[in-house]
Amino acid sequence: MKVLLINGSPHANGCTYTALCEVEKELNKSDIETEIIHVGNKDIRGCIACGNCRKNGKCVFDDMVNEVAPKFTECDGIVVGSPVYYASANGNLISFMDRLFYSNACDKNMKVGAAVVSARRGGCSSTFDELNKYFTIAGMPVASSQYWNSVHGNTPEEVLKDEEGLQVMRTLGKNMAFLVKSIALGKEKYGLPEKEAKVATNFIR
């Protein structure tokens, strides 16, 4: 079983990375394979709604999104981490997530998702909400912790002093490992829930 951890910060070893590492340690203790992927400093443009991904099976822009897409298809869970910019996630990360989720037609149902956010002081809750929406629109169970998944600090050293935030990260890692394993056992014994044919209703007809 494998979980991807997406570092949406421009700083490879900054505050967001510090939080993700705390989650990763607990996943590894539970024998979950992990990979941290740094996307926050990459040149990732937004979706232009061209529709080519529906024809070609991948995004028309051949960048980090297409590189990560096969790994996303194969993984059992994903943790997405972001710093807080004006009470929302890093723009590069949002472009990455928009295109990863839209262009990759794999069945995301029952992959486990989690979001981790980092701020000096404020804006964590709104950023956390923003990232969780990718999971809940895709049929992905969301792993939770004992509090909203955030750490505080302006440097990695300050984050390491946020004892409550680090505990939240460790609890998240433990809970996510349990959920990934439980879903795997459930699939083996019961299979996935039966899906209805999708109904799309416009608000204006």
Side-chain angles (χ1 to χ4, degrees):
M1 287 173 278
K2 184 170 184 177
V3 169
L4 299 179
L5 297 100
I6 306 298
N7 181 2
S9 169
H11 304 293
N13 300 301
C15 298
T16 302
Y17 174 78
T18 303
L20 289 173
C21 284
E22 203 71 9
V23 179
E24 182 184 43
K25 282 187 279 188
E26 295 301 327
L27 290 168
N28 293 158
K29 284 180 188 177
S30 296
D31 298 320
I32 304 289
E33 184 185 349
T34 55
E35 181 180 358
I36 295 182
I37 300 172
H38 187 207
V39 305
N41 67 342
K42 302 298 188 295
D43 185 12
I44 301 172
R45 64 169 300 153
C47 177
I48 60 169
C50 66
N52 274 287
C53 57
R54 293 294 176 257
K55 301 173 191 172
N56 304 325
K58 64 179 184 177
C59 185
V60 69
F61 299 117
D62 196 17
D63 59 11
M64 196 77 183
V65 172
N66 287 342
E67 182 181 326
V68 174
K71 296 179 181 183
F72 184 42
T73 298
E74 296 301 321
C75 77
D76 301 285
I78 186 170
V79 182
V80 181
S82 179
V84 172
Y85 289 178
Y86 292 93
S88 61
N90 178 7
N92 273 17
L93 177 64
I94 292 301
S95 293
F96 173 85
M97 293 293 287
D98 283 351
R99 288 173 48 220
L100 179 68
F101 271 68
Y102 191 75
S103 67
N104 187 343
C106 77
D107 187 3
K108 303 166 189 69
N109 191 41
M110 294 301 152
K111 290 182 187 289
V112 179
V116 166
V117 297
S118 168
R120 182 191 68 82
R121 187 170 178 88
C124 285
S125 294
S126 54
T127 305
F128 181 61
D129 290 343
E130 179 183 20
L131 293 175
N132 279 322
K133 290 178 173 65
Y134 289 95
F135 313 134
T136 55
I137 199 173
M140 297 172 61
V142 177
S144 60
S145 184
Q146 66 197 49
Y147 196 79
W148 297 307
N149 305 334
S150 59
V151 295
H152 290 84
N154 205 37
T155 65
E157 292 74 24
E158 289 180 358
V159 170
L160 291 173
K161 294 177 183 177
D162 180 8
E163 294 183 10
E164 182 178 358
L166 293 179
Q167 187 177 66
V168 168
M169 296 302 118
R170 291 193 297 272
T171 303
L172 173 62
K174 292 171 186 173
N175 289 353
M176 188 166 197
F178 178 81
L179 191 51
V180 166
K181 290 180 176 181
S182 297
I183 288 172
L185 289 171
K187 282 182 185 178
E188 188 179 321
K189 186 168 184 180
Y190 302 110
L192 289 171
E194 183 180 345
K195 285 187 177 181
E196 295 185 17
K198 189 171 182 179
V199 176
T201 305
N202 294 337
F203 289 104
I204 300 172
R205 299 187 179 193

